[in-house]
């Protein structure tokens, strides 16, 4: 699977880690899965997207259309944080996608920076128990 999704703060912070090439079908599956997970969360839900190991995304008009349809679900998202190279194509696509669904988005260099940003923005997360997989810390 080209991505893994997990709650790293139950019902509040989702972490998705992408790797390799993401096909249009996989992107649509991701959109459906994140839509489902966000609806299970406690608003505001935050999403950290680690794209450092992602090589390429195949974006089709259908995928973009599906993303636009997710606007009501993403209104529960407090923020989207992309862990990526600031000037890369994947970072550009992440920012563009966030604008389409009208959510606040930031790009940082590491998962640790993303967590620090969320703790500054939402004080309730400072006291939360974070369950970040060990391999995420290696990728950062």
């Amino acid at each position: 699977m080209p991505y893994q999704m997990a709650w790293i703060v139950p019902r509040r912070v989702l972490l998705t880690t992408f790797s390799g090439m993401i096909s249009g079908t996989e992107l649509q599956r991701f959109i459906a899965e994140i839509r489902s997970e966000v609806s299970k969360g406690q608003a505001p839900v935050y999403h950290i997207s680690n794209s450092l190991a992602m090589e390429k995304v195949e974006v089709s008009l259908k995928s973009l259309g599906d993303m636009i349809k997710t606007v009501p679900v993403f209104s529960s998202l407090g923020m989207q944080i992309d862990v990526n190279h600031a000037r890369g194509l994947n970072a550009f696509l992440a920012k563009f996608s966030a604008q389409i669904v009208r959510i606040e988005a930031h790009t940082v260099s590491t998962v640790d920076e993303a967590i620090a940003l969320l703790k500054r923005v939402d004080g309730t997360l400072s006291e939360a128990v974070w369950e970040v997989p060990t391999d995420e810390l290696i990728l950062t």
Side-chain angles (χ1 to χ4, degrees), residues 7 17 20 23 36 58 60-61 64 67 70 76 83 86 105 132 138:
W7 289 101
T17 304
S23 70
S36 173
E58 293 177 3
S60 67
L61 290 177
L64 286 174
M67 199 176 304
T70 64
S76 297
V83 179
V132 182
I138 293 169

Side-chain angles (χ1 to χ4, degrees), residues 3 11 24 51 54 56 63 67 72 78 84 99 101 112 128 130:
Y3 71 89
R11 298 184 62 216
S51 305
M54 184 167 56
K56 182 180 177 185
S63 298
M67 199 176 304
N84 211 326
Q99 288 178 343
V101 295
D112 288 338
W130 292 77

Side-chain angles (χ1 to χ4, degrees), residues 46 78-79 81 104 106 114-126:
Y46 301 99
M79 184 185 307
I81 302 173
E104 181 179 353
H106 296 272
I115 291 170
L117 175 61
L118 288 177
K119 286 181 178 180
R120 282 193 312 272
V121 169
D122 186 333
T124 65
L125 295 175
S126 293

Side-chain angles (χ1 to χ4, degrees), residues 30-75:
F30 163 74
I31 290 168
E33 185 175 352
I34 196 166
R35 179 185 306 171
S36 173
E37 289 301 309
V38 168
S39 70
K40 296 174 191 174
Q42 178 184 338
V45 173
Y46 301 99
H47 180 235
I48 299 172
S49 174
N50 186 344
S51 305
L52 289 172
M54 184 167 56
E55 296 168 13
K56 182 180 177 185
V57 179
E58 293 177 3
V59 180
S60 67
L61 290 177
K62 179 169 179 12
S63 298
L64 286 174
D66 287 347
M67 199 176 304
I68 291 168
K69 291 177 195 170
T70 64
V71 170
V73 171
F74 284 105
S75 65

Side-chain angles (χ1 to χ4, degrees), residues 4 15 17 50 111 131-140:
Q4 295 180 343
L15 171 66
T17 304
N50 186 344
V111 171
E131 300 172 8
V132 182
T134 307
D135 58 341
E136 279 300 317
L137 299 175
I138 293 169
L139 286 174
T140 59

